[in-house]
Amino acid sequence: MKHKFGVKIMPREVILDTQGRAVEQTLKLNHLDVEMCRVGKYVELEIEGTADDARLKAEMIAKKVLHNPLIETYEVKGL
Amino acid sequence: MKHKFGVKIMPREVILDTQGRAVEQTLKLNHLDVEMCRVGKYVELEIEGTADDARLKAEMIAKKVLHNPLIETYEVKGL
C-alpha cells in the first residue's frame, strides 16, 4: 500500500533567514506588514510498504537526506 | 493578538517538478526508493490583528504575493 508524507523543513530560529527577510520587506513595501516571516521547504513523499515501514523510511529520508541539521529543523507528517 | 499561519506552496500536478525529480533520483541512488516526490515551499507568517482579519490577510498574501498561479497551488493553515 502507498503512504503519503509531508516533510516540513524550516531554518532554525537562531539562523538569519534571508529569504524570509526579503519576503517580509516586500510585504512591507506593499502595505502588507507582518510580524514575522520565515521561508522553508516542503517535500511530499509517497512510499510503498506497510504503514510502519513507510513512516520509518520517511523519517530516515527527512533526517539523512532532506534536511541540514546545522541550519534546519524538520517535521514529518502523514497526509 | 498575534496569529501564526503556515502557507504550503506546491508545484501543480501538471508541472514537471525538476527539484522533486532530482531528489527522487538521489534517493534511488541511495537505495531509498520512493513512489513519488514533489518539492515545494513553506512560509510561516505571524500577523497582528483579530483572528478574522489576520486570516484574510494571510490568504491575500499567499494568493497575491507568495504563489505563482500559473505553476503553483497554495494552502493556508492556522498554526
Side-chain angles (χ1 to χ4, degrees):
Chain A
M1 216 189 126
K2 283 182 193 171
H3 302 273
K4 214 168 167 183
F5 298 93
V7 185
K8 181 171 116 179
I9 299 152
M10 298 301 290
R12 285 185 185 279
E13 292 291 329
V14 293
I15 299 286
L16 175 68
D17 172 23
T18 47
Q19 274 191 87
R21 290 281 287 271
V23 173
E24 223 174 288
Q25 281 166 24
T26 303
L27 290 174
K28 204 171 203 170
L29 289 175
N30 290 283
H31 307 290
L32 288 166
D33 300 51
V34 295
E35 302 300 310
M36 183 276 299
C37 173
R38 293 187 82 76
V39 178
K41 286 175 280 189
Y42 197 88
V43 183
E44 279 182 6
L45 297 170
E46 211 172 272
I47 299 174
E48 179 76 47
T50 66
D52 286 354
D53 285 356
R55 174 160 281 279
L56 273 176
K57 196 170 177 179
E59 284 279 350
M60 199 168 83
I61 288 171
K63 193 176 174 186
K64 305 268 183 189
V65 184
L66 297 180
H67 97 298
N68 176 349
L70 287 178
I71 56 167
E72 292 165 328
T73 58
Y74 72 94
E75 198 183 308
V76 181
K77 266 190 189 163
L79 294 181
Chain B
M1 218 189 125
K2 282 181 192 171
H3 302 273
K4 214 169 167 182
F5 299 92
V7 185
K8 181 171 115 180
I9 298 151
M10 297 302 289
R12 285 186 186 278
E13 292 291 329
V14 293
I15 299 286
L16 175 69
D17 172 23
T18 47
Q19 274 191 89
R21 290 282 284 273
V23 172
E24 224 175 288
Q25 282 166 24
T26 302
L27 291 174
K28 205 171 203 168
L29 289 174
N30 290 283
H31 308 289
L32 288 165
D33 300 50
V34 295
E35 303 298 310
M36 183 275 299
C37 174
R38 292 187 83 76
V39 178
K41 286 176 280 188
Y42 197 89
V43 182
E44 280 182 5
L45 297 170
E46 211 172 271
I47 299 174
E48 179 77 47
T50 67
D52 287 353
D53 284 356
R55 173 160 282 278
L56 273 176
K57 196 169 177 179
E59 285 279 351
M60 198 168 85
I61 288 172
K63 192 176 174 187
K64 305 268 183 189
V65 185
L66 297 180
H67 98 298
N68 176 350
L70 287 178
I71 55 167
E72 292 165 330
T73 58
Y74 72 94
E75 198 182 308
V76 180
K77 265 189 190 165
L79 296 181

